[in-house]
Amino acid sequence: MAAPANLDDLVQARLVAENAAVKPGGTAWVALHLTMKKGWHTYWRNPGDSGQKTEIAWTLPRGFKAGEIQWPVPRQFAAGIGASYGYANEAILLAPIAVPADAAPGAAELAATVNWLVCEAICVPGEAKLSLKLDVGSAPASDAGTKALFDRVRAALPVDLKARAEGRAGEDGIAIDLPAEAFKGTAAPAVAFMPFDDTLIDHAAPQPLTGATLALKRGPVRGKPPAETAGLLLVEDTKSGVKRAFNLSVLIRSE
């Protein structure tokens, strides 16, 4: 398939600050907002069997430090005979920027070089150089539209599951005993696990749930698995349709 005539139209990128101002010693939350052409998608932190995660390289004033990207819950896409994870039509990635206590009052410029891969029937790499200014020293303030954007993306973030899961790894599969906390308030659960490690499991394979035990098929990298892994646990109540997402740590022992 031929590439679209105008590749610049595939993704529009911008940086948005939750608040236009920040106090010294505070945290400025910034969103990378990618808007993709209809039918196109970018990728999650683990792209799966194909793709490339979106990356942000920050250039910040002295003493400012960027924290880890907060990734919303992705969806799964078919990738040939495999599967990938990402975001269709829109992706909003949050990042905290720590402001030093001795930051000088006035305007501070936050700059970022952003790289992504956007795919439909073909895949096209993209890059943008973005920036925004914060007023250091003033009281935080945001407008209604910006607040709504950040409220929307925070509602799409997974929550931490306090209890760890325990897994048993064989040559071909990993069985994970999920904690009861994951099923609280769920009458008829359907479950899926998306690991942060892109080689741990076969992403396209079924994940049958028996009782509280989830069965995963091993990925292409065999041998002894890591002693601990983490990922995203999706739990849907098939009766009510309610969906929840958790960050889950799994302790794995080899059998």
Side-chain angles (χ1 to χ4, degrees):
M1 177 178 176
N6 189 352
L7 298 181
D8 293 337
D9 288 341
L10 294 179
V11 179
Q12 300 296 320
R14 64 176 182 141
L15 289 180
V16 185
E18 183 173 22
N19 297 292
V22 63
K23 291 283 191 180
T27 299
W29 281 93
V30 176
L32 168 64
H33 188 184
L34 301 177
T35 305
M36 292 79 81
K37 192 173 182 177
K38 185 177 180 179
W40 292 74
H41 62 269
T42 56
Y43 290 92
W44 185 50
R45 59 182 294 174
N46 168 12
D49 291 314
S50 67
Q52 176 182 314
K53 71 176 182 179
T54 298
E55 296 182 328
I56 308 173
W58 294 97
T59 301
L60 303 174
R62 181 188 62 82
F64 285 59
K65 293 184 179 179
E68 293 185 359
I69 293 174
Q70 307 295 298
W71 298 87
V73 176
R75 56 172 286 190
Q76 188 179 85
F77 299 92
I81 61 172
S84 61
Y85 309 117
Y87 308 102
N89 305 325
E90 178 186 60
I92 307 173
L93 309 181
L94 300 188
I97 308 294
V99 179
D102 62 352
E109 184 175 36
L110 313 183
T113 299
V114 181
N115 288 277
W116 62 79
L117 187 69
V118 62
C119 297
E120 193 233 16
I122 64 169
C123 293
V124 180
E127 180 182 278
K129 296 185 181 298
L130 308 172
S131 66
L132 59 78
K133 289 186 178 180
L134 292 177
D135 183 8
V136 178
S138 301
S142 65
D143 60 43
T146 301
K147 183 179 185 303
L149 177 74
F150 278 78
D151 287 347
R152 177 159 61 90
V153 70
R154 286 194 172 106
L157 294 175
V159 299
D160 292 337
L161 200 58
K162 295 177 181 178
R164 287 181 173 179
E166 294 188 356
R168 304 175 305 282
E171 179 63 27
D172 297 319
I174 300 174
I176 300 179
D177 297 325
L178 300 173
E181 182 185 344
F183 302 107
K184 187 176 181 180
T186 304
V191 177
F193 182 65
M194 298 178 177
F196 299 150
D197 181 344
D198 64 349
T199 65
L200 185 67
I201 68 170
D202 180 339
H203 303 290
Q207 299 185 4
L209 180 69
T210 304
T213 301
L214 187 65
L216 307 174
K217 184 179 178 181
R218 293 284 297 271
V221 178
R222 298 300 177 93
K224 188 175 181 179
E228 183 172 0
T229 193
L232 190 63
L233 182 70
L234 307 182
V235 180
E236 178 180 2
D237 189 330
T238 56
K239 286 190 175 180
S240 66
V242 173
K243 298 179 181 180
R244 294 180 295 166
F246 304 98
N247 291 314
L248 177 68
S249 294
V250 183
L251 299 176
I252 301 176
R253 73 174 190 271
S254 297
E255 293 186 325

